Amino acid sequence: MRIKTGALLLAALTAACALLIFPVQAAQGAKNGIGYCLEVLVPSLYPFMVLSVFIVKSGLSRKISGIFEGPTQKLFRLPGSAAPHRADEPDRRVPRRGPLCRFPL
């Protein structure tokens, strides 16, 4: 464990020194990364974000979850509906879903 922590610390210090030694290249890289996000990533994800909000707010997620309730229980051994139905309704399954998705909620 100590070797892993030491290697991680060394890598972080090396990256910090590289940023200080090559500031122009670091700034250009950051500018390219932000430009990529604004030109490619965000526009490609925006329709899916809008569609997911529409599905949740319209109540369509409740109907869709009813269709997948049986296979979800049989295949993954999860509770009937593993997704919240509406954003404004309290959902007590959220703490159990966080570790499943490897995302802290």
Side-chain angles (χ1 to χ4, degrees):
M1 187 68 167
R2 275 197 136 153
I3 295 173
K4 186 177 181 181
T5 305
L8 186 62
L9 179 63
L10 182 64
L13 287 174
T14 303
C17 288
L19 289 175
L20 293 174
I21 294 170
F22 305 108
V24 175
Q25 290 85 353
Q28 186 62 35
K31 185 178 178 181
N32 289 345
I34 291 172
Y36 174 76
C37 284
L38 292 177
E39 292 175 9
V40 177
L41 194 63
V42 173
S44 66
L45 294 177
Y46 184 73
F48 297 105
M49 291 187 288
V50 170
L51 185 63
S52 65
V53 169
F54 171 74
I55 287 172
V56 170
K57 294 283 184 180
S58 69
L60 189 60
S61 66
R62 207 177 272 272
K63 294 175 185 173
I64 293 172
S65 67
I67 294 170
F68 290 108
E69 185 173 352
T72 301
Q73 287 176 340
K74 291 178 183 174
L75 290 174
F76 304 114
R77 296 184 182 150
L78 292 173
S81 175
H85 300 297
R86 288 184 55 106
D88 56 348
E89 292 179 1
D91 187 19
R92 293 181 174 84
R93 293 182 304 260
V94 169
R96 290 188 299 204
R97 220 177 7 260
L100 175 71
C101 302
R102 294 184 180 250
F103 184 75
L105 296 176

